Amino acid sequence: MDAVRPRLELFSGEQVEAIVADALAVLATVGVEVENEPARLLLREAGIAARGFRFVPDENAVRAALATAPARVVVYDRDGRPTLDLGGDRVHFDPGSAALWILDPASSRRRPPVTTDLVHLAWVTEACGNIAGQSTALVPSDVPEAMGDRFRLYVALLNSTKPVVTGTFATDAFAVMHAMLAAVRGGAAALAARPLAIFDCCPTPPLKWSDLTCQALLDCARTGVPAELVSMPLGGATAPVTLREMIVQHCAESLSGVLLHQLAAPGAPIIWGGSPAAFDMRHGTTPMGAIETMMVDAGNAQVGRSLGLPTHAYPGMSDAKVVDWQNGMESGIGAVLAALAGINLVAGPGMMDFESCQSLEKLVLDDQACGMALRLARGVGHDSAGEAVDLLRQVVALGGFLGHRHTRDHFRAEQFLPSKVIDRGTFEQWEAAGGRSSFEAAREEVRTIVARGNPAPVADDLRAELTALISAETRRLGIVGLPPV
Amino acid sequence: MTERQELFAALSRAVLDGDDAAAPRLAAQALDGGVSALDAVEKALVPAIREAGRLFEEGEYFLPELVTAAQAMKAAMAVLQQALGAEAAALALGRVVIGTVEGDIHDIGKTLVGTLLSAAGFAVSDEGASVSVARFVARARELDADLVCASALLTTTMPKQRELVEAVRAAGLRAKVMVGGAPVSPRWAASIGADGHADNALAAVTVARSLVGRDAPS
Ligand code: B12
């Protein structure tokens, strides 16, 4: 008998169906506003009813789109190895996206990130064994704002082999970003066959698709680049405050995304993602570490899985401003709940201060939380009935298990073996090693990783090709002086 | 308590309760009973919204309570507006044009700032999200605004705040410019020559008051 996968399910099957039914009713009555003309055209051609720019698709149209959306999306690393196998209840982590700040490890205060930080982020991500994907998780302040989105992808591709979770900030960014990805694969068709990146596409709550994100959705569909729907109902601000209704709204917005996307290209890869948050009623902020935020993440994933789609969410982040108890508590709970909920792609590691600040130190610490969460998801093996009897019979004579072959054969698979940033030594060992906090240990770890240099350099000709693409984009936008990478 | 005092107390209560049906009804009742609109504003509405602000700052009230109180106040003001006539202009702390800059659809923070500014007594014209620099300038001219407030949540749209400051100056408008939004720092605000910046909605009210020379009495 195989391991039973430990699971968090917030709803019964019937309750999930009732949520989907409510969402379908929302779409059929309230509908979604679509601000993008090519998307409106697609919807009209498909005969979707509309009042002005508000489209009110019926259940049949939505179900048809769900039927063509693939249940499994595989994303490959730079070398073409399958790395993110999204679907079922398989769990993968990637760093939280697009931070405005980086935590300065010396002062423990945030500062604007620069290109070097982005480079180091890629190196550290490459070194994190429990984090399968990378993401363009910092917006460098030394790059002209208009270039920020596409330049991040350029840096990511040069400094890590891991598949990239990214997105556009403006409609004209997709072309060059797609061109860079295709260059790595040796062509657009090869890229479609083995995707290298996922693009986030966020509907505007409540129930609206802005021109930018709608365009990104269509661009993804037509090029076969996996699109990640990031619906973000904020409970009590842009969505009802009650958790079930937030999940209904998330479902309605996401279903409208699936519809648009599948109309543009039936069968194109799409992910049921989201970044909902319980709105903080004292500060007007969007706490990602709130337990309600994580409950909605788990609920959304259960709904998405029931509809046969790969899922994504953002648990594993913290709202703390330094790497302290709140930070570890919120990030750890998030990673564990995400693993239990079977969310396929979990973005969050490294991110704090809502979604505003990345910390490389937090990233290497979170890597450990992710490792423990992944271990939990594997559950307890059950294919060895009777073995304990034999083992104990032998060991009563032997006197212990440390010298037993069984221990040696199994401990690496059975235990999650933490890195040096997790302290499990004795008090004396800890004191002798300098009496460090986990943050200080992480600082050391990051320094070591950075000192090793680029762990994933690309071949010279590919590097030249990518550089030519980004340089042409710079000229097109009339920008001078990009920082060296 | 006299009948009038009771009415004012009920009107204050309606604002504090965020009851946007009772507040305008009681305001109309006051006018019918011969109360001056100015009295109703100064003796019922203003003290009530101040109290809501105080309760919020003390952690007693939360945002939904503060925002619904501001909405009830607005609804009552709408009833009193006509009767106030010329006095209305004198009452307003200043005229504000607010919006999120072009290319940016984040509007939650901007709306919160606008709501609290109007609750504080500014006459606010909320232009919504993705507002072009030209529209900001045209509206500021039309309304002879004291203050133009621009929100930006994306690093890619922040440069629009700089353009706005330049355009407001180039148009020779007297309006001051206040900027905000998650990526906006005091340093950025200073570098683009903005007159003010705040990182949250309550602070925005304080900065706005000082920019129009109407600091709150301490
Ligand atoms: C909610 C949200 C959205 C919602 C917005 C819904 C809406 N109706 O506003 C949606 C889903 C639409 C969205 C879309 C996108 N978003 Co968004 N979003 C957020 C999020 C999570 C919260 C913003 C928010 O509402 N906060 C709550 C309010 C109350 O706070 P606030 O806006 O900061 O306002 C307060 C203060 O700043 C200040 N203030 C605000 N304005 C003003 C103005 C003045 C004059 C003053 C004085 C003060 C002031 O007072 C307010 C109240 O206290 C932020 C994360 C973050 N850390 O901010 C990302 C964030 C801003 N988004 C981001 C991104 C990348 C996007 C997208 C480009 C994603 C995509 N690829 O599709 C799109 C952009 C679309 C576009 N063209 O605008 C990034 C920006 C990164 C960057 N470097 O620029 C952020 C930081 C998240 C992240 N880390 O990735 N987003």
Side-chain angles (χ1 to χ4, degrees):
Chain A
M1 199 168 50
D2 281 348
V4 175
R5 192 197 191 289
R7 227 177 258 295
L8 170 69
E9 282 187 342
L10 293 187
F11 312 117
S12 69
E14 268 168 35
Q15 287 171 334
V16 172
E17 276 170 31
I19 285 172
V20 174
D22 274 9
L24 287 166
V26 167
L27 286 180
T29 54
V30 189
V32 273
E33 189 180 334
V34 178
E35 291 184 337
N36 175 282
E37 192 48 38
R40 289 173 191 151
L41 208 70
L42 274 176
L43 291 163
R44 282 188 207 113
E45 274 170 8
I48 307 293
R51 292 190 298 271
F53 294 147
R54 196 162 262 290
F55 289 82
V56 282
D58 63 17
E59 174 164 356
N60 291 337
V62 176
R63 296 269 180 211
L66 282 170
T68 58
R72 179 177 179 207
V73 173
V74 183
V75 189
Y76 299 75
D77 74 3
R78 214 178 59 196
D79 301 328
R81 286 179 300 237
T83 304
L84 304 173
D85 184 356
L86 311 176
D89 52 17
R90 297 179 290 277
V91 178
H92 314 265
F93 290 93
D94 71 292
S97 62
L100 304 165
W101 310 94
I102 185 159
L103 191 78
D104 184 85
S107 64
S108 263
R109 286 292 177 274
R110 66 184 200 182
R111 63 167 170 77
V114 290
T115 298
T116 316
D117 296 315
L118 196 56
V119 170
H120 294 171
L121 168 75
W123 295 356
V124 173
T125 308
E126 187 74 5
C128 287
N130 304 294
I131 296 176
Q134 63 166 328
S135 67
T136 49
L138 282 173
V139 185
S141 62
D142 54 348
V143 174
E145 285 84 1
M147 277 293 285
D149 46 8
R150 38 219 107 161
F151 189 74
R152 298 181 304 163
L153 181 62
Y154 170 66
V155 174
L157 291 174
L158 292 183
N159 289 284
S160 165
T161 58
K162 293 187 178 179
V164 199
V165 181
T166 187
T168 57
F169 292 170
T171 36
D172 69 345
F174 190 84
V176 68
M177 293 175 81
H178 180 257
M180 286 191 285
L181 294 167
V184 173
R185 283 284 184 263
L191 177 66
R194 279 181 305 164
L196 172 61
I198 294 171
F199 277 58
D200 286 336
C201 304
C202 317
T204 308
L207 301 166
K208 187 152 106 181
W209 280 95
S210 71
D211 185 41
L212 166 71
T213 52
C214 211
Q215 191 59 47
L217 198 59
L218 301 188
D219 288 340
C220 283
R222 289 182 177 135
T223 51
V225 169
E228 186 160 83
L229 296 167
V230 185
S231 155
M232 46 175 88
L234 307 176
T238 60
V241 73
T242 43
L243 305 192
R244 182 183 183 279
E245 282 60 44
M246 279 176 77
I247 294 168
V248 168
Q249 181 176 324
H250 175 277
C251 182
E253 287 175 356
S254 304
L255 286 173
S256 69
V258 173
L259 173 63
L260 269 167
H261 183 262
Q262 294 296 305
L263 283 177
I270 186 155
I271 299 159
W272 186 268
S275 183
F279 202 67
D280 182 274
M281 294 305 178
R282 177 151 288 143
H283 303 100
T285 50
T286 52
M288 306 310 295
I291 194 70
E292 300 81 9
T293 298
M294 302 182 206
M295 290 167 75
V296 173
D297 283 333
N300 290 343
Q302 196 181 341
V303 172
R305 194 166 41 249
S306 84
L307 296 171
L309 292 170
T311 59
H312 151 275
Y314 279 93
M317 305 200 265
S318 170
D319 307 319
K321 313 302 180 281
V322 292
V323 180
D324 60 358
W325 186 85
Q326 179 185 341
N327 201 320
M329 185 263 301
E330 292 173 345
S331 305
I333 290 181
V336 164
L337 290 186
L340 289 176
I343 298 171
N344 301 143
L345 188 56
V346 186
M351 194 65 103
M352 48 193 270
D353 185 8
F354 311 102
E355 281 178 82
S356 302
C357 185
Q358 261 288 339
S359 158
L360 301 185
E361 292 70 31
K362 178 180 187 304
L363 189 57
V364 303
L365 291 166
D366 285 348
D367 180 46
Q368 298 301 299
C370 298
M372 293 187 202
L374 290 169
R375 171 65 191 90
L376 171 63
R378 279 200 285 127
V380 176
H382 282 277
D383 53 3
S384 52
E387 197 165 14
V389 181
D390 285 348
L391 286 169
L392 286 164
R393 186 182 306 124
Q394 296 161 21
V395 161
V396 170
L398 254 169
F401 279 102
L402 261 183
H404 197 293
R405 190 74 213 176
H406 179 266
T407 306
R408 170 151 185 168
D409 288 347
H410 287 92
F411 82 98
R412 281 180 186 274
E414 200 67 6
Q415 298 186 346
F416 168 71
L417 302 173
S419 79
K420 281 185 259 173
V421 300
I422 299 296
D423 177 36
R424 290 184 183 168
T426 63
F427 186 88
E428 288 72 19
Q429 285 167 335
W430 170 78
E431 200 167 43
R436 300 181 308 181
S437 68
S438 57
F439 179 66
E440 287 161 335
R443 212 155 52 179
E444 185 64 40
E445 179 75 11
V446 169
R447 248 185 254 131
T448 309
I449 295 169
V450 167
R452 284 202 296 260
N454 189 348
V458 290
D460 287 346
D461 52 341
L462 177 56
R463 188 189 176 90
E465 201 177 335
L466 294 173
T467 306
L469 285 167
I470 202 80
S471 304
E473 182 73 356
T474 334
R475 284 194 299 279
R476 186 178 76 79
L477 294 171
I479 288 168
V480 274
L482 278 184
V485 178
Chain B
M1 243 201 278
T2 67
E3 201 176 309
R4 180 160 301 187
Q5 281 170 327
E6 265 169 36
L7 187 58
F8 284 169
L11 185 51
S12 284
R13 193 69 253 158
V15 170
L16 277 168
D17 288 345
D19 189 338
D20 61 4
R25 184 166 40 75
L26 290 164
Q29 201 178 315
L31 287 183
D32 290 346
V35 174
S36 100
L38 194 59
D39 256 13
V41 173
E42 286 182 337
K43 302 207 169 109
L45 295 184
V46 170
I49 200 70
R50 284 234 172 99
E51 176 66 359
R54 188 188 69 78
L55 289 169
F56 180 74
E57 294 209 37
E58 287 183 359
E60 194 66 35
Y61 263 24
F62 287 83
L63 278 172
E65 284 139 350
L66 185 62
V67 169
T68 49
Q71 284 167 356
M73 162 113 178
K74 223 172 157 180
M77 280 301 280
V79 172
L80 300 175
Q81 211 79 50
Q82 264 192 330
L84 280 171
E87 285 169 323
L91 263 176
L93 289 178
R95 280 180 293 273
V96 177
V97 171
I98 191 169
T100 305
V101 297
E102 188 167 10
D104 198 326
I105 55 169
H106 295 87
D107 65 358
I108 301 170
K110 177 270 302 165
T111 306
L112 203 56
V113 171
T115 306
L116 293 204
L117 284 175
S118 77
F122 286 90
V124 176
S125 171
D126 189 336
E127 305 298 318
S130 200
V131 179
S132 68
V133 167
R135 168 137 188 109
F136 269 115
V137 170
R139 287 296 284 164
R141 180 178 291 125
E142 237 171 271
L143 300 170
D144 186 25
D146 298 277
L147 200 56
V148 175
C149 293
S151 182
L153 267 281
L154 293 168
T155 41
T156 41
T157 58
M158 282 165 66
K160 290 284 174 200
Q161 292 182 331
R162 184 199 300 277
E163 283 178 35
L164 176 64
V165 172
E166 285 163 4
V168 167
R169 308 283 191 252
L173 300 179
R174 65 181 188 86
K176 297 202 166 141
V177 181
M178 178 160 74
V179 294
V184 176
S185 64
R187 186 142 49 109
W188 165 259
S191 78
I192 62 170
D195 301 292
H197 160 260
D199 74 351
N200 66 70
L202 278 178
V205 173
T206 311
V207 174
R209 278 174 165 282
S210 83
L211 286 178
V212 299
R214 301 280 291 266
D215 286 311
S218 48

